[in-house]
Amino acid sequence: MTEDEPAIEKRKRGARKPAPRFSREQADVRRAMLIEAAARCLSRGGIGAFTINSICREAGVSRGLINHHFDSLDALLVEVYKSSLYASVNAHIAEARQRRAMNADWPPQQALVALVRSNFSPVYFSRANLLLWLSLWGEIAVNPRLQAAHSELYNAYRAELAEDIAAVARSRGRNVDAPALARNFIALVDGLWLEWCLDASVVTPEDAEAAGFEMLEAQVGALR
C-alpha cells in the first residue's frame, strides 16, 4: 500500500530544516562592515582609493561579497555618505519627531539645541569625517547618484532645522526667515569644519559650536 501524494509532501515539509534564525542580522552585520571598510579607504586615500580592490583588502573579503550587497561602487559610496556624515544628525531628527509626536509640550528649544549640538559631537565632528567630507564634496558635483542622495539628506536636514528654528521663534514672538537661517547655519558649520580640517589651530570644535549658537541666538534669542 502506498501513501497518497499529499501525505508524502506533508512529511517532506515537516522534515525540512528550519531557516537560519539570524541570517538577516548576519547579512546586516556584513553590510555594515563593508561600509565601514569603504569609509576607512575613502578617509585615508580620497576618492582615488575608493576601489573594489582597496575595499576588499581593507575588509578582508572577496569581490563577490561586495557585489552581493551593493549593485555598484556608487551604491556603496552613497551608503558611506549616509552612515558617516548624516547618521548622528538623522538620529536627532528622528528623536525630535518622536518626542513631538509623544509630547506636544516638549519645549522647542530643547529640540533645536540637541540638533545644533549633534553637528559638533565628538563622534560626528571628527577628523575622519572631515576627510570624508573633503573627498565627497568634489565627487557630489560630478556623480548624479551621490548628488541625489546629498540633495535628499540635505533638504531633510535643512527642513527639520528650519522647523525647530521657527518653533522657537514663534514661542518667543519673533519673526525670522527660518529656512534662510537654517541654510546659513549649515553653511557656517561646513566652513568651520573645513577650517578645522586645514588647520586645527584656527578653530576648535568648542569654538565651532559656540559660533553656531551665536548665529542662531542673534535672531531667536538665548538657547544655551
Side-chain angles (χ1 to χ4, degrees):
M1 181 176 177
T2 61
E3 294 183 88
D4 61 310
E5 188 68 21
I8 294 173
E9 288 301 316
K10 184 176 181 180
R11 192 172 67 218
K12 285 182 178 179
R13 287 196 299 271
R16 289 174 185 160
K17 293 182 179 179
R21 292 178 59 189
F22 304 109
S23 59
R24 180 68 264 168
E25 289 84 350
Q26 290 168 349
D28 288 344
V29 169
R30 287 194 294 269
R31 194 171 188 275
M33 176 265 293
L34 292 172
I35 293 170
E36 290 169 3
R40 290 194 297 272
C41 289
L42 191 61
S43 65
R44 283 202 304 263
I47 201 68
F50 197 82
T51 67
I52 291 287
N53 288 339
S54 296
I55 297 166
C56 286
R57 285 195 299 270
E58 180 68 25
V61 301
S62 68
R63 295 174 65 95
L65 188 62
I66 294 180
N67 293 333
H68 174 72
H69 287 283
F70 305 96
D71 61 33
S72 66
L73 262 182
D74 278 353
L76 178 52
L77 188 63
V78 166
E79 292 306 313
V80 168
Y81 182 56
K82 289 180 179 179
S83 65
S84 299
L85 303 178
Y86 275 90
S88 178
V89 169
N90 285 340
H92 282 282
I93 289 175
E95 180 186 5
R97 288 175 177 168
Q98 182 180 20
R99 283 179 179 268
R100 277 198 296 269
M102 296 174 61
N103 183 3
D105 295 329
W106 191 49
Q109 176 181 333
Q110 290 187 23
L112 181 56
V113 168
L115 192 55
V116 169
R117 285 188 168 145
S118 70
N119 286 274
F120 307 101
S121 66
V123 173
Y124 189 62
F125 197 91
S126 66
R127 294 201 67 80
N129 272 355
L130 286 167
L131 293 172
L132 282 174
W133 263 122
L134 291 176
S135 299
L136 289 167
W137 267 337
E139 185 67 13
I140 288 170
V142 298
N143 186 318
R145 192 163 181 176
L146 188 59
Q147 190 174 60
H150 168 73
S151 179
E152 177 185 353
L153 293 166
Y154 173 85
N155 288 335
Y157 172 41
R158 182 184 170 194
E160 179 64 31
L161 182 59
E163 183 175 348
D164 290 340
I165 290 171
V168 172
R170 282 194 304 270
S171 72
R172 298 175 174 183
R174 293 179 178 242
N175 184 24
V176 302
D177 185 344
L181 186 53
R183 177 202 62 207
N184 295 344
F185 172 81
I186 295 170
L188 174 67
V189 172
D190 288 347
L192 291 169
W193 272 41
L194 182 58
E195 288 289 349
W196 186 56
C197 186
L198 295 175
D199 186 351
S201 68
V202 173
V203 62
T204 67
E206 293 76 19
D207 294 334
E209 181 178 298
F213 274 115
E214 287 165 7
M215 170 181 278
L216 297 177
E217 288 173 338
Q219 296 202 41
V220 303
L223 295 170
R224 295 165 288 179

